[in-house]
Amino acid sequence: MALKLRLARGGSKKRPFYRIVVTDSRMPRDGRFIEKLGLYNPLLAKASEERVKMDIERAQYWIGQGAQPTDRVARMLEAAGVLTKTERSNPKKGEPGDKAKKRAEEKAAKAAEATEAE
């Protein structure tokens, strides 16, 4: 059984509220879970201590049992000091799209023509 530490959504439309749960990876996002480890409320300020509440000891236990945290839960555990901080890099995220590249090329060509004409 592949275990995951992940978020299960609750709350109403446009008012998200999440539970941090241990579940079998084959279960649906909001479906059956093994244990509830904590709560996450993204509507609260980032500095608020009420934003993330988690039972750290149980999270460490489940990680020891082989549970893999999702990216968002891993970031929360890193902030709590349970996991070591990993370097994340997505160099393509900041790269402009095809249309923006074409516009930049056209703008550079027009600028080159204008300087050439002078």
Side-chain angles (χ1 to χ4, degrees):
M1 181 165 59
L3 297 175
K4 286 270 191 189
L5 295 176
R6 68 180 178 199
L7 298 175
R9 186 167 185 207
S12 59
K13 182 178 175 183
K14 305 213 183 225
R15 304 285 297 167
F17 186 82
Y18 297 92
R19 290 180 306 237
I20 302 167
V21 297
V22 178
T23 184
D24 183 357
S25 63
R26 296 170 291 187
M27 291 295 133
R29 178 192 71 181
D30 300 334
R32 189 172 65 200
F33 59 89
I34 298 168
E35 183 178 352
K36 179 179 157 187
L37 299 179
L39 304 170
Y40 169 58
N41 188 352
L43 299 177
L44 295 176
K46 289 188 178 184
S48 174
E49 291 190 16
E50 300 291 315
R51 186 175 169 109
V52 177
K53 291 182 180 179
M54 191 178 343
D55 187 353
I56 301 298
E57 291 81 27
R58 291 302 292 170
Q60 289 173 330
Y61 167 79
W62 283 109
I63 290 171
Q65 295 297 313
Q68 294 294 315
T70 58
D71 185 51
R72 183 59 48 192
V73 174
R75 287 174 186 245
M76 292 174 192
L77 291 170
E78 287 171 5
V82 174
L83 296 178
T84 58
K85 193 164 180 90
T86 57
E87 186 67 31
R88 293 175 183 85
S89 175
N90 188 356
K92 290 191 174 189
K93 184 174 183 180
E95 190 175 306
D98 293 337
K99 288 184 179 180
K101 286 179 186 177
K102 287 180 183 176
R103 282 194 301 266
E105 289 172 5
E106 290 171 2
K107 189 175 182 181
K110 285 183 181 179
E113 289 176 11
T115 56
E116 201 175 278
E118 292 176 359

